[in-house]
């Protein structure tokens, strides 16, 4: 269960008139080790006694994350598709976000990594796999027809993945 669901259960215990010890025992009986700690239950009971009834996270201080947005992810993806040798610094300047956030977008959202100065996807898509199988089958058929001629003319152009 996630934190919000446990908070709802703690609120339910509070509204039923249970104290923190009874709430802790009930949650441990039902959920075992995943139950919230005694301190967490006490803190939420105190909030509910002060009149709070929502179980959502409170707003946190600090600057909100504005760099990793769907628009920036799409923009970076389009730029990389056009030029796989683009540098993080150049992308950061184009999109106007930090170099660290661009790297985070590459690794976490686009699942790409730098390989021999090119950005490449970690895994091939279904279409790319099918395309490679089709190409390999055609090459195998040509190889079976005329081995010496095939080996003389066959040139591969692929990246390192």
């Amino acid at each position: 269960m996630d934190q919000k669901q446990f908070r709802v259960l703690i609120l339910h215990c509070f509204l039923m008139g249970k104290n923190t010890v009874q709430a802790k025992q009930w949650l441990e009986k039902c959920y075992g080790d995943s139950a919230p700690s005694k301190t967490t239950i006490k803190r939420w009971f105190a909030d509910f006694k002060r009149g709070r009834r929502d179980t959502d996270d409170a707003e946190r201080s600090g600057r909100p994350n504005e760099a990793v947005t769907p628009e920036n992810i799409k923009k970076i993806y389009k730029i990389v598709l056009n030029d796989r040798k683009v540098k993080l610094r150049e992308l950061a300047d184009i999109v106007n976000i930090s170099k660290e956030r661009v790297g985070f977008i590459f690794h976490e959202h686009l699942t790409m990594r730098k390989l021999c100065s090119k950005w490449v996807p970690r895994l091939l898509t279904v279409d790319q796999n099918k395309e490679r199988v089709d190409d390999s089958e055609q090459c195998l058929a040509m190889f079976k027809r005329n081995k010496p001629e095939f080996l003389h003319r066959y040139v591969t152009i692929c990246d390192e993945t």
Side-chain angles (χ1 to χ4, degrees):
M1 288 181 74
D2 68 349
Q3 291 178 346
K4 182 164 173 51
Q5 292 170 329
F6 276 121
R7 289 179 202 146
V8 170
L9 292 174
I10 294 169
L11 175 62
H12 175 73
C13 290
F14 175 79
L15 294 174
M16 295 279 297
K18 293 183 179 185
N19 61 27
T20 57
V21 175
Q22 293 169 331
K24 174 69 174 158
Q25 289 172 350
W26 179 71
L27 288 170
E28 280 182 344
K29 183 177 118 185
C30 295
Y31 300 101
D33 292 336
S34 63
S37 68
K38 183 178 172 184
T39 307
T40 302
I41 294 171
K42 280 184 176 182
R43 184 170 22 93
W44 279 98
F45 260 74
D47 285 350
F48 296 143
K49 283 179 185 173
R50 283 185 239 119
R52 181 174 180 175
R53 291 295 178 261
D54 69 325
T55 56
D56 295 327
D57 281 332
E59 289 293 321
R60 293 188 171 96
S61 64
R63 185 174 180 193
N65 187 358
E66 299 168 353
V68 183
T69 62
E71 296 82 29
N72 285 344
I73 294 170
K74 287 177 188 175
K75 200 182 293 184
I76 289 172
Y77 185 66
K78 286 179 184 178
I79 293 169
V80 170
L81 286 183
N82 291 332
D83 179 16
R84 295 220 182 237
K85 292 188 177 186
V86 68
K87 294 180 173 77
L88 283 178
R89 195 175 330 108
E90 294 170 0
L91 279 169
D93 291 341
I94 293 169
V95 184
N96 200 22
I97 60 176
S98 72
K99 192 172 80 169
E100 289 78 19
R101 290 293 91 193
V102 173
F104 178 80
I105 289 172
F106 267 118
H107 294 284
E108 298 299 321
H109 294 278
L110 300 178
T111 61
M112 296 180 116
R113 61 189 175 104
K114 195 83 159 179
L115 186 67
C116 293
S117 78
K118 284 185 181 179
W119 288 103
V120 293
R122 287 190 194 150
L123 299 173
L124 298 174
T125 64
V126 175
D127 295 334
Q128 290 169 332
N129 279 334
K130 185 175 178 343
E131 214 173 283
R132 286 190 177 195
V133 168
D134 293 342
D135 291 343
S136 298
E137 288 173 349
Q138 288 175 358
C139 289
L140 184 61
M142 290 183 339
F143 178 75
K144 287 180 179 177
R145 271 183 277 163
N146 190 353
K147 288 181 185 180
E149 183 67 24
F150 176 80
L151 293 174
H152 179 69
R153 293 177 175 238
Y154 191 72
V155 177
T156 60
I157 301 173
C158 288
D159 63 6
E160 291 78 13
T161 59

